[in-house]
Amino acid sequence: MIALGNDHTGYELKMEIIKYLEEKGIEYKDFGCGKLSSSDYPVYAKAVGRAIQNKECDKGILICGTGIGISIAANKMKGIRAALCHDCFSAEATRLHNDANVLVMGARVIGHGLAIKIVDTFLNTDFSNQDRHIRRIEMLEDQ
Ligand code: RB5
C-alpha cells in the first residue's frame, strides 16, 4: 500500500501518479491535499510518515514545489527515510542503498513524464540487503 501526500503545488502531479498506480493495479491511500489553494506541506508529510510508522502503508510518495520542505518534514520522523529524487539513478540507488521508504519530488522542478519514470524505478527496486547498507541505515536511527 502506497501512501500519497502533497501540498497544493503537487496536486496535479499526484493525480498523474494516481493514474499510473491505477493502471498498474497498485493500491494507494491518498492523504491529501486535494486542492490547488494554499496548504501547508508539513501536514501531509506527517500524515504519510504516520501511515508508514504504523504499518498501514509500506512506502510513500510526497510532493511539494521543490520537494525540499516536505522531505525535511518527513525525515524528522522516526523510521522515515525520505529521498528527494529528480532522476532515475537516484531513485534506484536510494532503494538499493538507503532502503528509502518515501520518494519525494518537486512538482516545480520536473515534468510529469520523468516523475512517472522515477516512481516506476522507486517502486520496482528492492533494497540490496547488503550488510554495509544495513549497518549504515541502523546508524541513522541513533541520531
Ligand atoms: C509552496 O509555495 C512551497 O514553498 C512548497 O511547495 C515547497 O516547495 C517547500 O519546500
Side-chain angles (χ1 to χ4, degrees), residues 7-9 41 64-70 108:
D7 72 0
H8 53 292
T9 66
Y41 57 81
C64 69
T66 58
I68 296 171
I70 210 160
R108 289 174 173 162

Side-chain angles (χ1 to χ4, degrees), residues 23-57:
E23 273 167 25
K24 298 279 178 192
I26 300 170
E27 287 192 309
Y28 64 90
K29 197 158 180 196
D30 185 1
F31 290 89
C33 72
K35 59 186 177 116
L36 291 166
S37 55
S38 189
S39 61
D40 301 325
Y41 57 81
V43 171
Y44 308 101
K46 206 175 273 182
V48 165
R50 285 271 180 277
I52 293 171
Q53 284 176 330
N54 66 29
K55 304 202 188 311
E56 186 183 349
C57 294

